[in-house]
Amino acid sequence: MGSGAGVANGLGNLKQFGFNQPVIAICGDSTFYHAVIPSLVNSVYNNANFTLVVLDNGGTAMTGFQPHPGTGQLATGDQAKVIDMEALCRAIGAEVKVCDPFDLNHTVQTLLQMLKEEKGTKVVIMRHSCELIRTRKEKKKPYKISVRDERCAGKSCGCDRLCTRVFQCPGIVWDEIRGKATIDEALCAGCGLCVEVCPQKALVKEAVQ
Ligand code: SF4
Ligand code: SF4
């Protein structure tokens, strides 16, 4: 909720005392506008070494999709001028990269590259519209996802349930009795991202016509 960037500002200045861990702070786009900007200005000013990841899904998803200064819409529904997050970060002197988290490889490479850079405040904007926004507009899922039981090795596959233990999309649940992952059709938005995440290729997607 915005405190991460302030804490990272402190941790990102501890190298002089022997602290050499990479520091990452995470916030959403709405939180960025209402709580992170002051910490970010302070971090750049103090040359704090950390990476801020902004999960920019284009809405205040956690509390009901209220508009924020990046959406171009007021609470009344009227249009407003968008405050450009990327331009704002660059304007105060932060290094900025923008990527689409659905391009998993590029996103991982971008993040690793930023973490390797040892000086200054960096911002990675991971931008992809919330799947719930798309579902509301389009009223249908792009993909039907299923689990190939014969490939899903669950706890013993080496990933130890990467999908439900780490990735944790609510659309995938762990079936303790079968010892397999399973898709909850009521919660799955059909985005297809989990297919890229499973190291065993046990999750498959089929385009919905
Ligand atoms: S679906 Fe893939 S990631 Fe999930 S438990 Fe099965 S093998 Fe592991
Ligand atoms: S397709 Fe996979 S990642 Fe996307 S909502 Fe469904 S279970 Fe989650």
Side-chain angles (χ1 to χ4, degrees):
M1 297 306 294
S3 61
V7 174
N9 181 12
L11 293 174
N13 265 310
L14 292 182
K15 193 171 181 187
Q16 56 191 310
F17 303 112
F19 181 84
N20 59 5
Q21 300 285 315
V23 180
I24 306 179
I26 300 177
C27 69
D29 45 337
S30 176
T31 303
F32 175 85
Y33 289 107
H34 79 246
V36 169
I37 294 169
S39 302
L40 197 62
V41 171
N42 205 28
S43 305
V44 173
Y45 188 66
N46 285 289
N47 201 27
N49 177 26
F50 78 96
T51 303
L52 172 69
V53 176
V54 185
L55 306 175
D56 180 6
N57 64 0
T60 318
M62 184 171 63
T63 52
F65 292 100
Q66 297 87 351
H68 62 60
T71 60
Q73 198 183 32
L74 300 175
T76 55
D78 294 333
Q79 289 205 321
K81 191 177 173 194
V82 171
I83 307 294
D84 186 329
M85 177 191 298
E86 186 182 344
L88 193 151
C89 293
R90 288 193 205 284
I92 61 170
E95 184 183 348
V96 184
K97 298 245 187 268
V98 182
C99 55
D100 178 355
F102 274 52
D103 184 344
L104 214 49
N105 283 338
H106 179 243
T107 300
V108 169
Q109 291 311 318
T110 303
L111 193 53
L112 289 176
Q113 186 195 338
M114 288 297 229
L115 290 177
K116 275 185 200 153
E117 289 181 22
E118 295 217 327
K119 280 200 173 158
T121 304
K122 293 138 297 191
V123 180
V124 179
I125 301 171
M126 298 191 183
R127 181 170 288 147
H128 193 103
S129 179
C130 176
E131 282 301 307
L132 297 179
I133 295 175
R134 182 190 51 69
T135 307
R136 284 178 183 181
K137 278 189 195 149
E138 297 175 9
K139 308 278 186 214
K140 71 165 196 170
K141 300 179 183 183
Y143 298 107
K144 177 171 174 48
I145 312 297
S146 52
V147 180
R148 286 192 180 167
D149 278 4
E150 73 281 9
R151 289 193 187 172
C152 176
K155 291 178 181 174
S156 59
C157 68
C159 63
D160 189 10
R161 302 195 293 113
L162 185 69
C163 58
T164 49
R165 186 181 58 83
V166 179
F167 183 59
Q168 292 195 355
C169 172
I172 318 176
V173 290
W174 177 246
D175 185 333
E176 191 68 53
I177 295 169
R178 288 166 52 246
K180 308 282 180 193
T182 190
I183 300 297
D184 184 332
E185 289 293 342
L187 294 177
C188 172
C191 70
L193 183 59
C194 55
V195 173
E196 312 295 325
V197 169
C198 173
Q200 302 293 323
K201 307 287 179 214
L203 298 167
V204 288
K205 63 182 183 185
E206 188 186 332
V208 175
Q209 302 303 323

PDB file of all heavy atoms in Angstrom, residues 145 167 169 171-172 183 188-194, ligand 2:
ATOM      1  N   ILE A 145      -8.915 -23.312 -20.367  1.00  0.00           N
ATOM      2  CA  ILE A 145      -7.691 -23.901 -19.823  1.00  0.00           C
ATOM      3  C   ILE A 145      -8.007 -25.262 -19.222  1.00  0.00           C
ATOM      4  O   ILE A 145      -9.031 -25.430 -18.554  1.00  0.00           O
ATOM      5  CB  ILE A 145      -7.082 -22.992 -18.722  1.00  0.00           C
ATOM      6  CG1 ILE A 145      -7.001 -21.539 -19.185  1.00  0.00           C
ATOM      7  CG2 ILE A 145      -5.729 -23.515 -18.256  1.00  0.00           C
ATOM      8  CD1 ILE A 145      -6.101 -21.298 -20.369  1.00  0.00           C
ATOM      9  N   PHE A 167       2.719 -19.059  -8.042  1.00  0.00           N
ATOM     10  CA  PHE A 167       1.997 -18.213  -9.008  1.00  0.00           C
ATOM     11  C   PHE A 167       0.657 -17.743  -8.426  1.00  0.00           C
ATOM     12  O   PHE A 167       0.292 -16.577  -8.515  1.00  0.00           O
ATOM     13  CB  PHE A 167       1.818 -19.013 -10.306  1.00  0.00           C
ATOM     14  CG  PHE A 167       1.163 -18.261 -11.415  1.00  0.00           C
ATOM     15  CD1 PHE A 167       1.712 -17.088 -11.913  1.00  0.00           C
ATOM     16  CD2 PHE A 167      -0.011 -18.737 -11.991  1.00  0.00           C
ATOM     17  CE1 PHE A 167       1.095 -16.408 -12.956  1.00  0.00           C
ATOM     18  CE2 PHE A 167      -0.623 -18.066 -13.026  1.00  0.00           C
ATOM     19  CZ  PHE A 167      -0.064 -16.894 -13.510  1.00  0.00           C
ATOM     20  N   CYS A 169      -2.612 -17.843  -9.010  1.00  0.00           N
ATOM     21  CA  CYS A 169      -3.835 -17.291  -9.603  1.00  0.00           C
ATOM     22  C   CYS A 169      -5.021 -18.007  -8.963  1.00  0.00           C
ATOM     23  O   CYS A 169      -5.010 -19.244  -8.856  1.00  0.00           O
ATOM     24  CB  CYS A 169      -3.852 -17.504 -11.117  1.00  0.00           C
ATOM     25  SG  CYS A 169      -5.461 -17.037 -11.817  1.00  0.00           S
ATOM     26  N   GLY A 171      -7.653 -18.811 -10.144  1.00  0.00           N
ATOM     27  CA  GLY A 171      -8.311 -19.723 -11.086  1.00  0.00           C
ATOM     28  C   GLY A 171      -7.743 -21.136 -11.082  1.00  0.00           C
ATOM     29  O   GLY A 171      -8.337 -22.044 -11.669  1.00  0.00           O
ATOM     30  N   ILE A 172      -6.574 -21.323 -10.444  1.00  0.00           N
ATOM     31  CA  ILE A 172      -6.015 -22.684 -10.331  1.00  0.00           C
ATOM     32  C   ILE A 172      -6.052 -23.087  -8.866  1.00  0.00           C
ATOM     33  O   ILE A 172      -5.595 -22.330  -8.011  1.00  0.00           O
ATOM     34  CB  ILE A 172      -4.537 -22.770 -10.777  1.00  0.00           C
ATOM     35  CG1 ILE A 172      -4.297 -21.969 -12.038  1.00  0.00           C
ATOM     36  CG2 ILE A 172      -4.125 -24.213 -10.985  1.00  0.00           C
ATOM     37  CD1 ILE A 172      -2.839 -21.968 -12.445  1.00  0.00           C
ATOM     38  N   ILE A 183      -8.485 -26.550 -12.613  1.00  0.00           N
ATOM     39  CA  ILE A 183      -8.954 -25.198 -12.948  1.00  0.00           C
ATOM     40  C   ILE A 183     -10.341 -24.969 -12.343  1.00  0.00           C
ATOM     41  O   ILE A 183     -11.231 -25.807 -12.491  1.00  0.00           O
ATOM     42  CB  ILE A 183      -9.029 -25.003 -14.486  1.00  0.00           C
ATOM     43  CG1 ILE A 183      -7.647 -25.200 -15.131  1.00  0.00           C
ATOM     44  CG2 ILE A 183      -9.588 -23.624 -14.837  1.00  0.00           C
ATOM     45  CD1 ILE A 183      -6.583 -24.212 -14.704  1.00  0.00           C
ATOM     46  N   CYS A 188     -11.485 -18.662 -13.151  1.00  0.00           N
ATOM     47  CA  CYS A 188     -10.518 -18.516 -14.247  1.00  0.00           C
ATOM     48  C   CYS A 188     -11.063 -17.551 -15.297  1.00  0.00           C
ATOM     49  O   CYS A 188     -12.169 -17.718 -15.800  1.00  0.00           O
ATOM     50  CB  CYS A 188     -10.251 -19.884 -14.878  1.00  0.00           C
ATOM     51  SG  CYS A 188      -9.264 -19.777 -16.382  1.00  0.00           S
ATOM     52  N   ALA A 189     -10.253 -16.518 -15.616  1.00  0.00           N
ATOM     53  CA  ALA A 189     -10.655 -15.532 -16.634  1.00  0.00           C
ATOM     54  C   ALA A 189     -10.228 -15.965 -18.038  1.00  0.00           C
ATOM     55  O   ALA A 189     -10.496 -15.275 -19.010  1.00  0.00           O
ATOM     56  CB  ALA A 189     -10.046 -14.169 -16.299  1.00  0.00           C
ATOM     57  N   GLY A 190      -9.510 -17.084 -18.128  1.00  0.00           N
ATOM     58  CA  GLY A 190      -9.112 -17.597 -19.441  1.00  0.00           C
ATOM     59  C   GLY A 190      -8.011 -16.801 -20.117  1.00  0.00           C
ATOM     60  O   GLY A 190      -7.898 -16.810 -21.344  1.00  0.00           O
ATOM     61  N   CYS A 191      -7.149 -16.162 -19.332  1.00  0.00           N
ATOM     62  CA  CYS A 191      -6.102 -15.312 -19.929  1.00  0.00           C
ATOM     63  C   CYS A 191      -4.980 -16.137 -20.571  1.00  0.00           C
ATOM     64  O   CYS A 191      -4.313 -15.688 -21.488  1.00  0.00           O
ATOM     65  CB  CYS A 191      -5.519 -14.384 -18.873  1.00  0.00           C
ATOM     66  SG  CYS A 191      -4.525 -15.231 -17.625  1.00  0.00           S
ATOM     67  N   GLY A 192      -4.730 -17.326 -20.060  1.00  0.00           N
ATOM     68  CA  GLY A 192      -3.728 -18.215 -20.657  1.00  0.00           C
ATOM     69  C   GLY A 192      -2.323 -18.082 -20.092  1.00  0.00           C
ATOM     70  O   GLY A 192      -1.431 -18.829 -20.489  1.00  0.00           O
ATOM     71  N   LEU A 193      -2.111 -17.166 -19.157  1.00  0.00           N
ATOM     72  CA  LEU A 193      -0.745 -16.945 -18.670  1.00  0.00           C
ATOM     73  C   LEU A 193      -0.163 -18.165 -17.950  1.00  0.00           C
ATOM     74  O   LEU A 193       1.021 -18.471 -18.071  1.00  0.00           O
ATOM     75  CB  LEU A 193      -0.704 -15.712 -17.747  1.00  0.00           C
ATOM     76  CG  LEU A 193       0.676 -15.331 -17.234  1.00  0.00           C
ATOM     77  CD1 LEU A 193       1.639 -15.039 -18.377  1.00  0.00           C
ATOM     78  CD2 LEU A 193       0.599 -14.127 -16.303  1.00  0.00           C
ATOM     79  N   CYS A 194      -1.001 -18.878 -17.213  1.00  0.00           N
ATOM     80  CA  CYS A 194      -0.497 -20.017 -16.437  1.00  0.00           C
ATOM     81  C   CYS A 194       0.128 -21.085 -17.331  1.00  0.00           C
ATOM     82  O   CYS A 194       1.002 -21.835 -16.899  1.00  0.00           O
ATOM     83  CB  CYS A 194      -1.613 -20.623 -15.586  1.00  0.00           C
ATOM     84  SG  CYS A 194      -3.056 -21.098 -16.539  1.00  0.00           S
TER      85      CYS A 194
HETATM   86  S1  SF4 B   2      -5.910 -18.821 -17.558  1.00  0.00           S
HETATM   87 FE1  SF4 B   2      -4.609 -19.484 -15.852  1.00  0.00          FE
HETATM   88  S2  SF4 B   2      -3.616 -17.574 -15.130  1.00  0.00           S
HETATM   89 FE2  SF4 B   2      -5.375 -16.953 -16.418  1.00  0.00          FE
HETATM   90  S3  SF4 B   2      -7.079 -16.722 -14.979  1.00  0.00           S
HETATM   91 FE3  SF4 B   2      -7.192 -18.845 -15.710  1.00  0.00          FE
HETATM   92  S4  SF4 B   2      -6.045 -20.047 -14.211  1.00  0.00           S
HETATM   93 FE4  SF4 B   2      -5.465 -17.896 -13.907  1.00  0.00          FE
END
